[in-house]
């Protein structure tokens, strides 16, 4: 049976200093990102989280819709205010790495990352991240929207070959509260660590789990499609794609891997 998220349960046993301490819980909302943006604009602190059991207008990257069944998944947005501790381009990699670590810690499955910040298990996507930036009176704030397919059993037929959930990957229900708490801890831990070493270890770890590099890819979005080889990341976090005798740095788009790993 699917249960509803409750603030008391989500916060009981939470071991963080800031992340998830200020928490807004909804049974239904349009989009947690939209709500978190408003909260950031009126000055809510770093680590503030909006979480919902269901979104009626969930937002995905590149203007897409993010649909998820009610009471099955983790749909949340976190406010980040890194000031000058971390460059902007680190943010989505940091959140992606935090989810990967939390999933590994909670249920022990291997997690791969796919540029720009999707997370995969068994080659299928179970988590997407939508990072939004805004100017506030307290400086630049980021809202990191995280959609994790946790216990969803079914996906629309057009997604069954590319999408999965943690339940489908493991064969058992996953406790959303434990995963939420683990995510808050890994986010806070990585965020603190990245503030000390300028994100070096976090980026190394993200790149180690990335399945995109060295592969033949097609990149779409924001212009003509590019067919080439994904070589790595540029100094400012773009994807370096070699095509013919040209190298293009891609900052937004979708990558399709067109050749299986050797
Ligand atoms: C993607 O397209 O891969 C990113 C999907 C991000 C979805 C999450 S669900 C919680 C948060 N609120 C939203 O409206 N979107 C993000």
């Amino acid at each position: 049976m699917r249960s509803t998220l409750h603030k008391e349960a989500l916060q009981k046993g939470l071991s963080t200093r800031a992340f998830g301490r200020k928490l807004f819980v909804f049974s239904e909302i349009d989009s947690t990102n939209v709500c978190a943006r408003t909260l950031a604009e009126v000055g809510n602190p770093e680590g503030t989280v909006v979480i919902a059991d269901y979104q009626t207008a969930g937002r995905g990257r590149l203007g897409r819709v993010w649909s998820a069944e009610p009471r099955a998944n983790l749909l949340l947005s976190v406010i980040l205010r890194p000031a000058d501790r971390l460059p902007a381009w680190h943010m989505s990699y940091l959140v992606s790495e935090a989810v990967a670590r939390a999933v590994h810690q909670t249920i022990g499955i291997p997690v791969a990352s796919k540029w720009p910040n999707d997370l995969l298990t068994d080659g299928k996507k179970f988590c997407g991240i939508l990072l939004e930036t805004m100017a506030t009176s307290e400086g630049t704030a980021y809202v990191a929207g995280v959609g994790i397919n946790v216990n969803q059993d079914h996906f629309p037929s057009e997604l069954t070959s590319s999408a999965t959930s943690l339940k489908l990957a493991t064969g058992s229900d996953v406790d959303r509260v434990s995963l939420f708490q683990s995510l808050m801890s890994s986010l806070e831990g990585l965020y603190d660590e990245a503030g000390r070493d300028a994100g070096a270890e976090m980026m190394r770890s993200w790149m180690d789990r990335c399945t995109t590099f060295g592969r033949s890819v097609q990149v779409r979005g924001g212009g003509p499609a590019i067919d080439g080889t994904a070589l790595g990341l540029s100094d400012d976090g773009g994807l370096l794609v070699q095509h013919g005798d040209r190298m293009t740095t891609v900052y937004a788009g979708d990558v399709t891997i067109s050749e299986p790993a050797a």
Side-chain angles (χ1 to χ4, degrees):
M1 203 188 79
R2 287 184 179 173
S3 57
T4 304
L5 293 170
H6 291 287
K7 183 172 176 175
E8 300 68 35
L10 289 163
Q11 289 190 316
K12 192 173 165 207
L14 194 63
S15 59
T16 50
R17 186 183 65 250
F19 283 73
R21 292 284 162 195
K22 192 152 189 192
L23 181 63
F24 297 82
V25 184
F26 295 88
S27 54
E28 183 176 310
I29 196 170
D30 50 359
S31 155
T32 58
N33 263 39
V34 171
C35 179
R37 283 186 70 109
T38 307
L39 292 171
E41 272 154 16
V42 298
N44 278 275
E46 176 154 273
T48 300
V49 173
V50 181
I51 187 165
D53 266 317
Y54 183 61
Q55 296 183 128
T56 54
R59 292 153 60 147
R61 287 194 314 112
L62 307 171
R64 295 195 192 108
V65 168
W66 183 265
S67 304
E69 288 178 1
R71 299 186 311 281
N73 301 305
L74 280 183
L75 307 167
L76 62 91
S77 302
V78 190
I79 297 175
L80 303 169
R81 297 184 184 276
D84 53 5
R85 277 174 291 162
L86 283 173
W89 66 265
H90 273 193
M91 290 300 130
S92 66
Y93 295 111
L94 187 145
V95 176
S96 167
E97 181 59 20
V99 175
R101 290 187 187 189
V103 167
H104 188 253
Q105 202 165 43
T106 309
I107 56 174
I109 59 170
V111 175
S113 61
K114 174 171 173 274
W115 192 89
N117 47 38
D118 291 347
L119 290 170
L120 318 182
T121 188
D122 299 333
K124 295 183 178 185
K125 174 170 172 173
F126 70 88
C127 173
I129 291 162
L130 174 65
L131 188 80
E132 301 191 76
T133 311
M134 75 219 61
T136 73
S137 50
E138 282 88 52
T140 303
Y142 299 85
V143 165
V146 179
I148 307 178
N149 300 331
V150 182
N151 291 321
Q152 185 156 330
D153 298 295
H154 301 287
F155 290 90
S157 55
E158 66 277 13
L159 292 182
T160 48
S161 61
S162 60
T164 192
S165 68
L166 299 177
K167 179 177 179 183
L168 291 175
T170 58
S172 353
D173 273 305
V174 172
D175 179 24
R176 290 190 296 160
V177 173
S178 304
L179 184 58
F180 168 80
Q181 294 177 344
S182 178
L183 175 58
M184 291 300 109
S185 297
S186 67
L187 257 178
E188 190 163 278
L190 268 178
Y191 202 69
D192 288 349
E193 175 195 286
R196 289 191 296 272
D197 72 356
E201 173 54 29
M202 178 275 294
M203 282 311 301
R204 246 193 313 277
S205 183
W206 187 90
M207 304 232 325
D208 279 352
R209 68 172 83 247
C210 183
T211 52
T212 312
F213 304 139
R215 312 279 289 274
S216 291
V217 293
Q218 181 173 77
V219 187
R220 273 164 296 145
I226 301 172
D227 290 286
T229 305
L231 293 186
L233 294 185
S234 63
D235 290 343
D236 56 357
L239 179 68
L240 294 169
V241 183
Q242 171 97 53
H243 50 120
D245 56 5
R246 292 184 57 191
M247 180 82 85
T248 298
T249 308
V250 182
Y251 292 97
D254 261 341
V255 165
T256 309
I257 294 174
S258 39
E259 172 203 89

